[in-house]
Each structure stands twice: as structure tokens, then as C-alpha cells.
Amino acid sequence: MFQPSKKIVYEKSKLSGTTTWQSPSNIALIKYWGKRDLQIPINPSLSFTLSKCNTQTTISYKPSSDGFKYEFYFEDQPKPEFKKKLDIFFQRIISYLPFLNQISIKINSTNTFPHSSGIASSASAFSALSLCLTDIEKSILCSSDFLKKSSFISRLGSGSACRSVYGPASIWGKSSLVKESKDDYAVPFDLPNFFKNYNDTILIVDEKSKSVSSTVGHDLVKNHQFKNSRVKQANKNLDKLIKSILNKDIGEFIKVVENEALTLHAMMLSSNPSFILLKPNTINIINKIWSFRNKNNTTLCFTLDAGANIHLLYHQTDFETVQNFIKDELLIFCSNGKYIDDKIGYGGIKK
Ligand code: PMV
């Protein structure tokens, strides 16, 4: 849908300004794991958008006579370790945002969630950056399809980032079940009110950054022995999950969400070479959740992303019961007793 455009010369007066966007992280319930071509997912994914784990990014821009230039600061400090990722991102997007050839930009980002807590920040970071870039395009060109284009640009930075521009939930990847779904960008998925009142408490099991990056993990799916079965399973699980959400079938919702989380890690365990991102305390917490659920009739279930930390998903009516359970039985498995209480949110916001 979005095609690379030719170089056009824009009026210099329009080529300076500043814009700030805040964008959240998201948690996938149906997991994106494995890609083809340029960041095209091998299966559709569905995520809940979060509200407290955000990146806030400001871009100031001015005309440049010798092509596109950028400087990047994280919390006002230069971050040379992000240069490689950002260089790749800008190479990928420049033909879709050709006005970039005529400006130099200064990017400053901050995160609202603790740095090095083991929480992946690429979804919030690339979606906040892409919302700023698409906003600059909008102010120069009065272009339309703002959110779709922001999602499209975000995808080229980090696949899962394309789902963060919307809330309360998003679907990315073509699925016959969702007519408007696309591989190139995510589309919003409206939740019934019941699910808009869901919490996501993130238990920090490991504060270190993960030993195997998701880029390497996605690559290992290319020749994975279970790749075709996984694609089939993800499509089936998406069908089941959507039905369980629409029918408010919590038992089925829990089954699918936990099956997806464990399958993601089963794919890692069975890739070649295999790798393990789960930690002993991740398993301890899962066992505690299962025995808690046998004794208590609550909405609590867990999911995992590509790491050792656990996301606890539960409805607001269970808040007190689950918070007591966390404090009494789970915090001993968390690194320095750390956790973050988040909830469903509504995507990027202009500041
Ligand atoms: O967006 P990436 O390349 O960091 O991959 C994210 C993969 C998972 O978080 C494991 C699943 C997902 O759909 O977000």
C-alpha cells in the first residue's frame, strides 16, 4: 500500500520544527515469531496495548543541504550502541519518507519504565520514533492515513512495534478472519468493555538483557522443523482467541493465551541451535499460578515474551486477590522483588 516515493524538493520554510510523541509497549497474546522478506510475519499476531510502559520521543528538525543526518540521545545522553539499529531503520524507511533527504534531525528519547529491567523497549521506542517521523511528513505534506503509515514505518524498525500505535488491541499479519488485516502494518482490534478493564502486572524475573536477541530467534524459525505446524497453530489460536474474547469465554481465553506463551518458548527450545530464555523462577511462578487457579476462580493467566519475565493478565475485579497472591507467593521469585503494574492502554499520544 505505501510505495517508495521519488525525491521531491520541499519548501525550506516547512522543513523545520519539533514534534513529541509518547507510545506504549504492547504484549502479544498470539505471538509473532518468524518472518520473511523485510519484516513480514509468517503468521498473524494479536496484542493488548499497555499504558504505563512508554517511550517519549522528541524530534527537532531543520533543513540540511547535504542530505539526511540524525543524532540520537537517550535521556539527553548520546547512545552509540543504538547506531547500528537506527542506521538500518533509516536506510529502510527513507524511500517511504523522502523529505528526510532534506533535513537533519535530533532525536531525544526517554522511557517511563525502568531502564535495564529486562523489559523490551523496541516496540515503544520504534513506535514513538515512527509517530514523530510520520507527524513531520503530515506537517509538510498534509498526508492522510497517519496511523497506518506510522504502523508501517514502525514495523520496519521492529515488527512488534507496529502494533503499539493503536489500542486497546491490535492485529498484525494477514488473516482471513479479520478482513482489514495486513502484513505491512497493524490494524486496531476493538475489545469488548470487559477486556478493556484488564491489568498486566509484569513480574521481573531477570533484569539483564536477554542472551539471544529476537532477530536471531526469528531467523532460526526459517529452517525450523516445526515452522509449518506453528503457522497453522497460530492461525487456529487466533480464531479461538477472537471467539473467546467476543463470547467472554474466560476459560478458553486462558487456555489459548498460555498455550501461545509456552509454544513461543517451545519453538526456542526446539530450534537448531536451541536456546533457553526461561529461568528457573519463570517455571516456579507458572507452577504457582496453576495451583492458585485450581483453588481460586479468577481471570488470572500468564503470558511471556522473548525473555524470562512473566506478564500476569487479569480483570480489574480480581485486582485485590491477584495483588495479594503476588505479594504473598510470587515476589520471592522476582529479581529484587521487582514488578510493574500496567493495564490496557490506547496507543500513541501527541505531547
Ligand atoms: O518485534 P520483535 O522483532 O522484537 O519480535 C517480538 C517477538 C515477541 O515479542 C516474542 C512476540 C510478539 O509478537 O511481540
Side-chain angles (χ1 to χ4, degrees), residues 26-28 30-33 35 39 45 120 122 158-161 163 172 210 214-215 218 264 268 304-306:
N26 68 75
I27 180 68
I30 303 295
K31 308 292 181 183
Y32 150 56
W33 197 241
K35 56 184 167 187
Q39 307 274 92
S45 55
S122 64
S158 162
S160 57
R163 297 185 309 240
W172 170 42
K210 53 200 180 205
S214 31
T215 309
H218 287 296
L264 170 70
M268 299 174 195
L304 303 158
D305 56 21

Side-chain angles (χ1 to χ4, degrees), residues 26-28 31-33 118-120 122 160 163 206 208-218 260-261 264-265 268 275-278 282 303-311:
N26 68 75
I27 180 68
K31 308 292 181 183
Y32 150 56
W33 197 241
I119 306 257
S122 64
S160 57
R163 297 185 309 240
D206 188 8
K208 293 195 264 337
S209 45
K210 53 200 180 205
S211 54
V212 177
S213 70
S214 31
T215 309
V216 172
H218 287 296
E260 276 290 306
L264 170 70
H265 286 265
M268 299 174 195
F275 61 105
I276 306 177
L277 297 182
L278 301 170
T282 317
T303 188
L304 303 158
D305 56 21
N309 299 330
I310 298 212
H311 290 245

Side-chain angles (χ1 to χ4, degrees), residues 43-291:
N43 62 265
S45 55
L46 184 151
S47 57
F48 281 180
T49 307
L50 301 185
S51 71
K52 290 196 197 152
C53 292
N54 285 301
T55 297
Q56 183 162 311
T57 297
T58 298
I59 295 187
S60 34
Y61 54 103
K62 55 178 194 221
S64 158
S65 47
D66 52 353
F68 175 62
K69 294 209 160 56
Y70 76 89
E71 290 169 69
F72 179 79
Y73 298 87
F74 184 74
E75 283 163 1
D76 295 316
Q77 300 300 316
K79 282 276 164 188
E81 62 268 40
F82 294 153
K83 186 176 179 324
K84 196 171 155 215
K85 261 200 155 170
L86 286 167
D87 282 351
I88 294 174
F89 173 64
F90 283 116
Q91 272 162 25
R92 286 178 182 169
I93 65 160
I94 201 152
S95 61
Y96 297 100
L97 297 172
F99 68 88
L100 287 176
N101 287 300
Q102 289 162 64
I103 59 175
S104 65
I105 66 175
K106 186 174 166 194
I107 309 163
N108 200 349
S109 269
T110 54
N111 281 350
T112 56
F113 47 100
H115 194 40
S116 59
S117 56
I119 306 257
S121 58
S122 64
S124 56
F126 277 109
S127 56
L129 177 56
S130 302
L131 284 159
C132 287
L133 294 169
T134 315
D135 193 35
I136 301 174
E137 177 185 53
K138 196 169 135 200
S139 70
I140 299 172
L141 287 175
C142 303
S143 49
S144 56
D145 280 331
F146 175 73
L147 287 176
K148 276 184 193 160
K149 178 111 183 218
S150 303
S151 174
F152 174 89
I153 297 293
S154 306
R155 184 197 104 231
L156 296 171
S158 162
S160 57
C162 75
R163 297 185 309 240
S164 275
V165 303
Y166 317 100
S170 298
I171 290 184
W172 170 42
K174 190 71 205 138
S175 156
S176 55
L177 303 168
V178 184
K179 209 167 74 221
E180 59 282 13
S181 61
K182 291 275 185 290
D183 281 340
D184 284 352
Y185 52 84
V187 294
F189 178 70
D190 196 20
L191 293 176
N193 283 339
F194 183 80
F195 287 95
K196 287 182 187 154
N197 283 314
Y198 256 60
N199 293 284
D200 178 358
T201 298
I202 309 164
L203 303 177
I204 312 296
V205 171
D206 188 8
E207 297 179 64
K208 293 195 264 337
S209 45
K210 53 200 180 205
S211 54
V212 177
S213 70
S214 31
T215 309
V216 172
H218 287 296
D219 256 7
L220 289 171
V221 179
K222 283 193 180 121
N223 298 314
H224 198 293
Q225 56 189 326
F226 300 140
K227 179 177 165 186
N228 295 338
S229 323
R230 166 61 195 149
V231 171
K232 270 194 207 143
Q233 180 205 29
N235 279 282
K236 263 197 197 152
N237 276 347
L238 179 66
D239 187 16
K240 289 185 191 168
L241 188 77
I242 291 177
K243 284 186 182 136
S244 73
I245 289 175
L246 298 180
N247 299 332
K248 218 178 113 186
D249 181 346
I250 305 306
E252 179 72 358
F253 177 85
I254 290 174
K255 254 199 224 159
V256 178
V257 169
E258 295 189 352
N259 178 248
E260 276 290 306
L262 294 172
T263 301
L264 170 70
H265 286 265
M267 289 295 284
M268 299 174 195
L269 294 171
S270 53
S271 63
N272 183 14
S274 56
F275 61 105
I276 306 177
L277 297 182
L278 301 170
K279 296 282 179 206
N281 279 341
T282 317
I283 312 284
N284 286 331
I285 292 172
I286 292 174
N287 282 323
K288 284 279 179 192
I289 294 169
W290 283 342
S291 68

